[in-house]
Amino acid sequence: MLASTDRAARVCETSHPPVFYIPREDIADGVLQRADGASWCEWKGVATYWDAVVDGVRHPAVGWSYENPTEGYRHLRGAVAFYPSKLDRATVDGEVVRSQAGDFYGGWITDEVVGPFKGEAGTRGW
């Protein structure tokens, strides 16, 4: 198991299903290793990417964090969000999560979350 928490921060953004940020201390010790690259969010700041190394196998860029987020997102400092599409299985309250379309997005879709969402073909501009 990569992580387990009941303290995740659920972040909702326009045109996206929610993303869950998990406190670093609720992630298995020694699993995360810094990945190459970074990106910029106009709201949260610079994103750091993380690989997961499980049983000696590296799984590239499975998650991201904001190590020094902008003022309005200080509560996310160091917490890690994971792409459900890059995990074998992710759940919220026991329900298996469906991933948001598109390689860039990391939204977690459950039965209570209804789209449309960015990520599908033709949605980049809205």
Side-chain angles (χ1 to χ4, degrees):
M1 182 177 304
L2 182 62
S4 180
T5 191
D6 59 3
R7 302 180 308 136
R10 183 178 188 248
V11 175
C12 296
E13 298 181 33
T14 305
S15 304
H16 296 272
V19 173
F20 292 87
Y21 288 82
I22 299 174
R24 189 88 36 100
E25 52 274 10
D26 293 348
I27 299 169
D29 287 336
V31 171
L32 294 181
Q33 293 185 5
R34 185 90 178 254
D36 291 334
S39 63
W40 171 257
C41 170
E42 64 185 299
W43 306 110
K44 295 182 284 297
V46 176
T48 298
Y49 290 90
W50 298 95
D51 295 342
V53 179
V54 180
D55 297 327
V57 177
R58 180 175 294 273
H59 303 273
V62 299
W64 73 96
S65 65
Y66 294 94
E67 297 302 297
N68 189 25
T70 59
E71 190 61 40
Y73 291 90
R74 293 276 180 227
H75 65 287
L76 297 180
R77 178 178 280 148
V80 179
F82 293 97
Y83 293 99
S85 63
K86 296 184 178 188
L87 304 174
D88 290 338
R89 183 171 175 258
T91 62
V92 172
D93 293 333
E95 181 182 345
V96 176
V97 170
R98 298 176 301 284
S99 34
Q100 181 177 4
D103 290 336
F104 180 76
Y105 304 105
W108 291 42
I109 302 172
T110 60
D111 289 342
E112 72 176 28
V113 179
V114 179
F117 305 118
K118 254 185 173 179
E120 298 286 347
T123 62
R124 187 173 186 110
W126 54 270

